[in-house]
Amino acid sequence: MNRTYSLLDKASGLLVFCALLVVNYLSVRRLSAEATNPLSFVVGNAGRVYAQAGPGNLAAIDANGGSVLWNFHDENLRVFTKAAFSSSALYVAATKANSNSELIKLDIVTGKTDWRVPFVSLGGNASPVLCGAEVLLPDYWRRTVSAFNAKTGGNDWKTDSLPFLFLFPPAILDDNALFLVADRVDPENKQQLVSVSCVDGHLGKALPVRVDGVSRTPVLLYKESVILSGYERGQGTSFHAVRASNGETLWSKSIPDEVTRFTPIIEDNLLVSGAASLWFIDLEHGKVAFRESLPKPSVPVAVADGLVFFSRGDRIVEARELPTGKLRWRMKLEGKISSNIAVAGKHIYVKTGADRLAELSMAGEVDRYVQIGGWRRR
């Protein structure tokens, strides 16, 4: 049976107390903007681009012609997360004006709703992850995970009864999810890599690991190793390469004064990310191959054709070569950048303002601006 709770409900005092304990550890040292001002996501998938076009409106755009294929709209919804995709559907979570949220399955061709299920405490940029036949979604405050059946939307299992804080998102290996977890009683000092069966939620192999501070990025896989990150105020970001078979630390690298807020990308042997700086880490040796400070933190970057695309300030998109960091091109857009950068087909996409999508060629020319807002489903 699905139960929903509101943090404003006086009868849920015990839940509020437990949530505050978790917040004390996981939220005090986070940038508050991550919880209260989630990104507007743009995602490319199979020749289409999906983007939020104002509160409660999600649009699908043809990457070839720029036409809007469909819009999903619900005036009760506010912010959509990044979507997860199967061959026939997309799964996206959305916040409401109150503390409740929803997980929604949409037909990838028509945008029509297959199912919608309520969810609680969807905060930050906690996007769903597809693992086998299950859609994994985290409870932001309690640091637990629920698995919803991708076909029916039924809640198949939860991690509430386990003595761990689940740090989302995991790496996916077949029908298993590899999570970084922390002990509820001693989260700073007792952390593990845990394999969880996406079929039934049962725990598999567990390896003790150590991450400095709060983990801020997903579990990433590189060859036979796992890449983990941590952030400590005053120390910056640190990355750790851990052998997947036994938890042995292969290398660690500190990037002082850097807050890695978004998902780094693995491209060949490089870890590519952008926040206060654009930087590449050589994953074989853990050395910084390139780093350049930015005047303003970049939105999440994209990589394609040997180039990394990132924002410089509010209106400029730049392309740099991998692994040298050499400038390939720079383009100033008409409006302020309001999303991550995404690649679909041979184009680069980024939102400008509330409901306009800029489409750039790989050579850095703006091909068109696509209006994606203002439409309502009847």
Side-chain angles (χ1 to χ4, degrees), residues 289-303:
F290 173 84
R291 183 181 182 188
E292 180 178 298
S293 296
L294 300 175
K296 182 178 180 179
S298 173
V299 299
V301 304
V303 173

Side-chain angles (χ1 to χ4, degrees), residues 212-213 230-238 254-259:
D212 303 322
Y231 170 76
E232 283 193 299
R233 188 179 296 275
Q235 301 296 321
T237 292
S238 61
S254 175
I255 305 180
D257 305 319
E258 188 68 73
V259 181

Side-chain angles (χ1 to χ4, degrees), residues 300-316:
V301 304
V303 173
D305 293 352
L307 298 174
V308 55
F309 309 100
F310 63 100
S311 65
R312 179 179 288 274
D314 291 332
R315 297 173 181 263
I316 294 174

